[in-house]
Amino acid sequence: MINYDLLLNDTNYELIHHQSIANKIDRFQVIIIHDRQPNFFDYNYLLNFPSENVRKKVDANRIFPRVKNETFVVRQQNYEDNVDLFFKMRVDARRELLAKATEFMIAKFFSTYESHLAPLLADKPTLKWDIINKLHDKYDKMLRAHVGLNDENSWNVFSTWYRTYLKNYTVNELIVKHGYDTLNALDKEELNTLFLEKMSNSFASNDSFLNTFTTDVNAYIEKMVSEILMAFESEKNSMEQINELLGVSPNFSVHQPIEATVKTNNLVVMSNAVYQFITEAISNQKFVCEADQWPRATIHGSKLEGSLQLLPNEDNRTASQMNLLHGYAHTLSEVDVDVLDSLCHMYLTQSPQADKRVEIRIDDLLTIRGLKTKLGGTGRRGGYEKEQRTQVMKALSVMQALWMQLDSVVVYEQGKPINKNMQGRAFVFTNEDGSSFEVTEDITPERLFIKLGEVFNHFLQGSTRQVKLLPNQAIELNPYQRKWEKKLIRYISWRWRTQARKASYLQPHKISTLLEKIGIQIDTQAPSRIRDRLEKALDLLEEEGVITFWQYNQWNEDSMSKKGWLRVWLDATIIIAPPDEIVSYYEPIERKKSVKTPTNFSLEPQKVCKSIGNDFKECRIKRGLTLKQVSDQLKISTSYISNIERGGALPSQTVYKKMKEWLN
């Protein structure tokens, strides 16, 4: 580097030589394109934030770290010829510097309050994400409001400083290497070409230069943000900083990080008949849309009779709103049911009573469904896509519009069933101050507050409280490709809850009822497709551990070869066993008396060799045959053979005989 003591002596020839060469250097610009760096909005990065490397930077007040980038040195004329492109690059570099300064302040906060934060954040990455978001908003606003970081003049001063710095360094290096006389003998174009080449090489491969340059730039930036650093020091050791981030109003329940609310492999949702009706009405698009009428779904059952409407608040009952809700009714999907179950679970885990108001984070409604955030990048925040949040807001609009008009519903009071009529909303949405919040697709708040409508109050009181475990896959599976599985999980989990009192989990399910409850229309032209898809869905649920096993109950596969087999199959029944985790959870509500449950899962299973499935599979593979080929030969469905091969079911006597003959 140049010896700046020489600047004090204007008669020194070394200084005169340096200045003489420097005066011949044309004006230039340095354009830096930063590689995309992990930042505090990358999920994996925040798990270990701040890392040991980041802590060292904080201790040394190293705001702008040395990072990989591409640096271009261009002449002023070239810059002006492409000013729009190059100016955009300069702005991006400026944003990167601000982003790094913001990250530095967040890391400084974490390092300062580590002893307080560590126990709070143990195994809670979502809470950490939440705190980092709040800190980002705080320090980002502070930095952008700072005059020295937000006006063009300040950045021009900074730009002039580092160009002068780079010119002095490079000229000094050239004089040391080539000597003043050699450089002075070059014409101006040759000198400038040599100068630009030397500077470019320094940025590309001179570690000593890069380390020194980064240190000096940090010293300059530290002065730019000195006021913010002083403000931080004045707040230091104040527990109000922690309380500000974690504290909430006493008027509503404390928000919990969403991963902390999930009970092992299951969610907790309501399981009463009204909630099940709402679920099926949305999932199966049961709403009827008549002219000048609000969308309505009806039910006529022994324990529940009434209707469910998509009905806005009185001050919003306009023609345009009716058209909007008609459109929603026609496009309801499993996404809407996912949001319903997520909303219910998040409410119940934060408040055991229906009369409490709880905070709901919009991003939590995406996180709980297993959706991944996009990674953050240079100058921009990561997180969920706008389209994903819009889907959630549309679903919440449906939830807000749900209005129940129940003419007769059975509730239990002191252990006795009583018929009542009720009406009211499913959910009530508010702002933090308690005022009504109108949900729309266009506005996505960070959070909102809800409480359950009074109808659900009757099903969450004391011993009559009706909740169920819902396997996580119900909301995590793809709502379009895995629709069958999602619908089956919701219905079967409800049936398991209704069977829990008698522990009659192996009570068979009629196939026609299963298909009706999950909204599947029977295609009489291609009924085999319906059977294959149902069996495939059950196979997948077994493989994924949602159910322990499934198999036909008293089923004769020979019926498949007869005319009119569809009617026989629809009347057949299937046993679907829950996992041990769910059985154990419901044990406290079982009636303490012996209950006879079906155990005869196939015809005379004692005569069937239990290794038939494995033997059959080995032989099929040796013969080079697919399941489909064997299925066609034996007139047995591929799903049924697959289930037998995996040991999920024992074949009936007729099928067993066919398989033995095929093996021999």
Side-chain angles (χ1 to χ4, degrees):
M1 296 294 289
I2 188 171
N3 183 355
Y4 289 101
D5 290 338
L6 297 175
L7 297 175
L8 300 176
N9 185 354
D10 59 6
T11 63
N12 189 286
Y13 284 110
E14 189 174 342
L15 174 60
I16 294 172
H17 289 166
H18 179 97
Q19 202 61 45
S20 174
I21 299 299
N23 288 339
K24 295 180 182 180
I25 302 300
D26 291 336
R27 184 175 171 84
F28 62 90
Q29 296 286 347
V30 178
I31 306 299
I32 300 176
I33 302 177
H34 293 275
D35 281 359
R36 179 175 176 176
Q37 297 295 317
N39 61 27
F40 40 84
F41 289 102
D42 291 332
Y43 188 79
N44 291 328
Y45 181 69
L46 75 86
L47 288 176
N48 299 308
F49 180 85
S51 65
E52 192 59 36
N53 191 33
V54 172
R55 293 178 196 278
K56 291 178 181 177
K57 293 172 184 175
V58 170
D59 292 339
N61 267 359
R62 197 176 181 86
I63 298 172
F64 193 74
R66 178 183 166 184
V67 294
K68 291 182 179 180
N69 58 63
E70 289 188 67
T71 304
F72 300 93
V73 184
V74 297
R75 299 190 182 194
Q76 186 67 24
Q77 185 59 50
N78 292 336
Y79 178 86
E80 291 174 358
D81 290 343
N82 300 277
V83 65
D84 291 339
L85 172 63
F86 286 132
F87 184 75
K88 182 180 182 301
M89 291 179 178
R90 287 184 63 189
V91 171
D92 288 342
R94 185 185 305 177
R95 288 173 178 165
E96 175 68 16
L97 192 150
L98 285 172
K100 289 300 179 185
T102 305
E103 182 179 21
F104 172 84
M105 295 302 297
I106 295 172
K108 191 172 182 68
F109 184 96
F110 269 77
S111 297
T112 302
Y113 296 106
E114 184 174 17
S115 61
H116 300 295
L117 290 171
L120 294 172
L121 300 179
D123 302 319
K124 296 182 179 67
T126 303
L127 179 58
K128 194 173 189 178
W129 180 288
D130 185 39
I131 291 176
I132 286 176
N133 269 281
K134 288 183 177 180
L135 288 172
H136 176 273
D137 290 341
K138 174 181 178 178
Y139 292 125
D140 183 61
K141 288 176 182 176
M142 289 176 68
L143 287 165
R144 292 183 185 278
H146 193 284
V147 175
L149 297 172
N150 200 38
D151 70 300
E152 194 64 28
N153 183 58
S154 295
W155 285 106
N156 286 335
V157 171
F158 174 63
S159 179
T160 301
W161 171 82
Y162 78 70
R163 280 202 308 272
T164 303
Y165 178 101
L166 292 171
K167 181 194 287 188
N168 286 332
Y169 171 84
T170 306
V171 167
N172 188 66
E173 290 290 297
L174 289 174
I175 291 175
V176 170
K177 182 176 181 179
H178 300 286
Y180 168 74
D181 292 336
T182 300
L183 295 175
N184 194 46
L186 297 175
D187 63 35
K188 189 174 182 181
E189 179 61 28
E190 290 175 327
L191 178 61
N192 275 274
T193 300
L194 184 64
F195 173 85
L196 294 176
E197 181 181 335
K198 175 62 178 176
M199 191 187 304
S200 297
N201 289 337
S202 295
F203 274 111
S205 58
N206 190 331
D207 284 339
S208 176
F209 159 74
L210 288 172
N211 289 333
T212 304
F213 177 65
T214 302
T215 299
D216 291 342
V217 169
N218 267 286
Y220 189 99
I221 295 173
E222 186 178 345
K223 292 179 181 178
M224 293 176 73
V225 300
S226 58
E227 293 179 15
I228 296 174
L229 288 171
M230 288 175 61
F232 181 91
E233 290 300 319
S234 68
E235 297 174 344
K236 198 171 179 180
N237 299 323
S238 171
M239 278 305 296
E240 291 180 4
Q241 300 300 304
I242 303 292
N243 294 334
E244 180 184 339
L245 291 170
L246 302 179
V248 292
S249 166
N251 296 327
F252 50 85
S253 298
V254 177
H255 172 265
Q256 300 180 44
I258 196 61
E259 75 278 359
T261 71
V262 178
K263 190 177 185 66
T264 59
N265 300 313
N266 303 280
L267 307 175
V268 178
V269 300
M270 286 184 283
S271 68
N272 56 75
V274 177
Y275 188 81
Q276 185 64 22
F277 169 46
I278 294 175
T279 299
E280 291 180 13
I282 295 174
S283 178
N284 300 333
Q285 293 188 355
K286 289 187 175 181
F287 289 90
V288 176
C289 298
E290 297 179 348
D292 300 324
Q293 297 292 322
W294 298 101
R296 180 190 300 268
T298 57
I299 186 171
H300 302 284
S302 59
K303 293 187 177 181
L304 178 62
E305 184 169 353
S307 64
L308 176 67
Q309 283 185 285
L310 296 183
L311 182 68
N313 295 321
E314 287 189 29
D315 57 357
N316 198 25
R317 294 178 187 175
T318 62
S320 61
Q321 189 67 14
M322 182 176 288
N323 289 334
L324 179 66
L325 291 177
H326 275 222
Y328 283 170
H330 290 304
T331 57
L332 291 171
S333 71
E334 292 306 297
V335 173
D336 299 289
V337 191
D338 289 347
V339 173
L340 171 65
D341 283 332
S342 302
L343 204 62
C344 182
H345 168 77
M346 291 163 66
Y347 185 93
L348 292 178
T349 51
Q350 293 186 62
S351 175
Q353 286 85 34
D355 58 348
K356 297 291 184 181
R357 193 163 62 101
V358 304
E359 177 186 344
I360 300 294
R361 306 290 175 89
I362 301 302
D363 279 6
D364 281 353
L365 290 170
L366 293 163
T367 303
I368 195 174
R369 290 164 52 209
L371 299 178
K372 303 299 183 184
T373 58
K374 66 179 180 181
L375 296 179
T378 301
R380 65 179 176 86
R381 295 170 61 172
Y384 292 105
E385 301 282 356
K386 180 181 179 181
E387 182 181 350
Q388 292 174 312
R389 290 194 174 98
T390 300
Q391 270 192 330
V392 168
M393 296 310 295
K394 178 256 182 183
L396 290 177
S397 296
V398 173
M399 302 305 116
Q400 185 175 48
L402 291 174
W403 175 266
M404 294 171 280
Q405 186 71 47
L406 306 177
D407 302 321
S408 176
V409 56
V410 175
V411 297
Y412 286 84
E413 295 182 357
Q414 297 180 343
K416 296 181 180 180
I418 298 175
N419 273 298
K420 287 193 171 186
N421 60 74
M422 308 175 189
Q423 67 175 19
R425 297 219 167 270
F427 300 97
V428 177
F429 294 77
T430 71
N431 293 300
E432 184 173 357
D433 61 7
S435 60
S436 178
F437 178 84
E438 191 66 33
V439 181
T440 67
E441 286 187 51
D442 303 326
I443 301 175
T444 305
E446 178 186 347
R447 60 182 181 171
L448 48 79
F449 301 85
I450 70 163
K451 69 175 182 177
L452 298 183
E454 59 183 27
V455 171
F456 287 134
N457 249 326
H458 299 277
F459 303 102
L460 293 174
Q461 302 296 329
S463 61
T464 62
R465 180 179 174 85
Q466 297 178 36
V467 296
K468 71 175 182 181
L469 289 188
L470 178 69
N472 293 347
Q473 289 90 335
I475 64 172
E476 291 178 354
L477 294 178
N478 187 290
Y480 306 105
Q481 299 169 359
R482 302 291 303 277
K483 182 167 63 175
W484 278 66
E485 289 80 13
K486 291 167 74 73
K487 288 170 174 280
L488 280 169
I489 293 171
R490 289 191 171 97
Y491 176 69
I492 293 168
S493 63
W494 179 61
R495 291 292 295 133
W496 285 336
R497 176 61 179 85
T498 61
Q499 295 163 348
R501 292 280 286 172
K502 297 181 179 180
S504 55
Y505 301 111
L506 302 186
Q507 182 178 335
H509 301 267
K510 193 173 181 179
I511 292 175
S512 59
T513 302
L514 275 178
L515 296 176
E516 176 193 348
K517 292 298 182 180
I518 65 175
I520 303 301
Q521 300 295 321
I522 301 300
D523 183 357
T524 56
Q525 299 301 312
S528 294
R529 293 181 184 176
I530 299 293
R531 176 182 176 176
D532 288 345
R533 185 63 183 91
L534 176 63
E535 292 178 347
K536 177 184 177 182
L538 291 168
D539 283 345
L540 288 171
L541 294 181
E542 182 179 334
E543 290 174 7
E544 293 163 359
V546 178
I547 63 178
T548 299
F549 70 87
W550 77 273
Q551 64 184 66
Y552 285 101
N553 183 52
Q554 306 291 333
W555 170 247
N556 187 347
E557 190 66 20
D558 288 343
S559 302
M560 292 293 295
S561 61
K562 298 177 181 178
K563 187 177 181 180
W565 68 265
L566 176 60
R567 178 184 56 78
V568 178
W569 181 71
L570 290 174
D571 286 338
T573 56
I574 293 176
I575 293 171
I576 306 173
D580 293 341
E581 182 180 8
I582 287 181
V583 175
S584 299
Y585 182 81
Y586 290 143
E587 275 184 0
I589 63 176
E590 290 179 15
R591 290 177 181 168
K592 302 304 179 183
K593 60 181 181 180
S594 61
V595 179
K596 185 177 181 180
T597 57
T599 56
N600 187 21
F601 300 154
S602 60
L603 293 177
E604 302 182 59
Q606 66 277 11
K607 296 182 181 180
V608 175
C609 177
K610 293 185 178 181
S611 66
I612 183 65
N614 187 60
D615 295 342
F616 190 86
K617 183 177 182 179
E618 286 184 3
C619 184
R620 176 178 63 79
I621 293 174
K622 284 181 181 179
R623 295 181 186 180
L625 297 174
T626 65
L627 280 171
K628 181 67 170 61
Q629 290 171 321
V630 175
S631 171
D632 292 340
Q633 290 178 16
L634 300 182
K635 306 300 181 186
I636 305 172
S637 74
T638 55
S639 297
Y640 192 31
I641 295 175
S642 174
N643 203 19
I644 293 170
E645 285 187 347
R646 290 185 292 101
L650 291 174
S652 66
Q653 287 294 298
T654 304
V655 172
Y656 180 67
K657 183 179 179 181
K658 283 185 178 182
M659 295 176 76
K660 289 292 288 183
E661 289 175 352
W662 186 84
L663 286 171
N664 297 328

